[in-house]
Amino acid sequence: MMERHCHQRRKHAIRQRFFTSLAVVLLGFASMGATSSRAQDWTAQREGMVAEIRADVVATRSYIGKGSLQPEVFTVLGRVPRHLFVPAEVQPDAYENRPLPIGFGQTISQPYIVALMTDLLTPGPEDMILEVGTGSGYQAAVLAELVGQVHTIEIIPELARQAEKRFARLGVANIQVRQGDGYFGWPDAGPFDGIIVTAAADHVPPPLVRQLKEGGRMVIPVGHRFSVQQLLLITKDNDGTLQTRQILPVRFVPLTGEH
Ligand code: SAM
């Protein structure tokens, strides 16, 4: 009798443990569900952002000379988690098609501009790209999905540090960050297949021209500080001569530094 009672108690305990573990497993699934539905929410917002970029491309086709961009550019913008590149207080606006403040008086560029500049570089899977103006690291992260290696320079030490940590956290291994004045480029890593400058200069920095490979492309806003600038696409021919095409008027924060 005693033995049967013990046996029943053991069975009861086993059943209880089973239900407790089941509850833990179900809770686990439930919380995973909550996480993935949060991710789903961002996905929907990202898709909305990509749709707005597509519409902007069509609206600006007379400037950029085409009604669409390379499909991979849209694919990558639909994948990179922009909300992880902005401060918490502006995170709800992360997927709006406009620039947002990232601290230190700087901005993360408008998604349409990120898409357009990426497209103008015609990135290839083996390319090595130099970015001047890391900021949040978003543009570099977009490029890193499309090319072999990105070198990015940021003049504000805290932004450079934050971006480096962000890349490590996100497991992006093909971006190198340097703190410094990007006017002078990154001579020991060049020459580069493409150079993208995400701050406005009043002239094209000669060191960047020197560090551009023959056949390479540079995308840079040039014009007065705190005014409208022209986004330029500069191509270096195989004989070293430069071709410059004005793309469209833009407004960027200035390229600072002692140069
Ligand atoms: N590409 C950035 C992103 O995805 O968030 C946005 C760049 S923000 C519009 C311009 C950045 O250029 C700022 O972070 C600014 O500090 C940086 N900058 C300005 N002058 C610079 C210079 N001489 N060298 C390197 N970075 C510079």
Side-chain angles (χ1 to χ4, degrees), residues 176-256:
Q176 289 190 50
V177 185
R178 174 179 277 186
Q179 189 271 316
D181 187 346
Y183 180 93
F184 301 103
W186 194 321
D188 40 322
F192 299 95
D193 300 287
I195 298 181
I196 177 169
V197 182
T198 64
D202 59 8
H203 62 277
V204 179
L208 298 185
V209 173
R210 282 195 291 276
Q211 289 167 42
L212 188 63
K213 272 187 194 166
E214 286 169 5
R217 295 155 84 85
M218 186 188 320
V219 182
I220 178 170
V222 175
H224 293 294
R225 299 167 146 243
F226 308 113
S227 162
V228 173
Q229 306 101 24
Q230 280 296 330
L231 187 65
L232 303 184
L233 169 63
I234 299 169
T235 313
K236 196 187 243 188
D237 287 346
N238 288 336
D239 63 0
T241 54
L242 300 178
Q243 311 289 339
T244 301
R245 195 180 127 204
Q246 262 188 9
I247 306 295
L248 85 169
V250 287
R251 195 181 279 266
F252 274 82
V253 294
L255 191 77
T256 58

Side-chain angles (χ1 to χ4, degrees), residues 18-73:
F18 171 76
F19 282 118
T20 311
S21 335
L22 187 67
V24 169
V25 169
L26 288 177
L27 254 170
F29 278 129
S31 67
M32 269 170 65
T35 311
S36 68
S37 72
R38 266 204 302 279
Q40 282 284 315
D41 288 345
W42 291 119
T43 302
Q45 291 185 40
R46 261 196 302 276
E47 280 168 5
M49 178 189 82
V50 171
E52 282 191 32
I53 297 170
R54 283 183 193 278
D56 270 6
V57 169
V58 171
T60 53
R61 67 186 309 159
S62 63
Y63 288 101
I64 62 180
K66 54 186 179 181
S68 188
L69 306 180
Q70 296 148 69
E72 312 86 67
V73 173

Side-chain angles (χ1 to χ4, degrees), residues 76-219:
V76 169
L77 276 139
R79 201 160 61 208
V80 176
R82 187 170 160 95
H83 63 281
L84 300 180
F85 288 81
V86 298
E89 59 275 19
V90 294
Q91 211 172 46
D93 301 330
Y95 294 99
E96 293 200 2
N97 189 18
R98 61 182 168 95
L100 293 169
I102 54 169
F104 307 92
Q106 302 304 324
T107 53
I108 179 174
S109 304
Q110 181 190 1
Y112 160 73
I113 290 292
V114 173
L116 176 62
M117 291 176 88
T118 304
D119 183 81
L120 288 168
L121 278 178
T122 59
E126 303 298 320
D127 284 359
M128 189 159 75
I129 302 291
L130 172 69
E131 181 194 30
V132 175
T134 314
S136 68
Y138 178 70
Q139 172 75 74
V142 166
L143 284 168
E145 294 265 323
L146 297 163
V147 303
Q149 194 57 239
V150 179
H151 288 73
T152 180
I153 310 181
E154 171 56 52
I155 203 163
I156 298 175
E158 190 55 27
L159 286 178
R161 262 195 301 276
Q162 282 177 12
E164 203 164 18
K165 280 195 200 147
R166 197 166 275 140
F167 299 141
R169 226 177 11 249
L170 295 173
V172 187
N174 59 340
I175 303 179
Q176 289 190 50
V177 185
R178 174 179 277 186
Q179 189 271 316
D181 187 346
Y183 180 93
F184 301 103
W186 194 321
D188 40 322
F192 299 95
D193 300 287
I195 298 181
I196 177 169
V197 182
T198 64
D202 59 8
H203 62 277
V204 179
L208 298 185
V209 173
R210 282 195 291 276
Q211 289 167 42
L212 188 63
K213 272 187 194 166
E214 286 169 5
R217 295 155 84 85
M218 186 188 320
V219 182

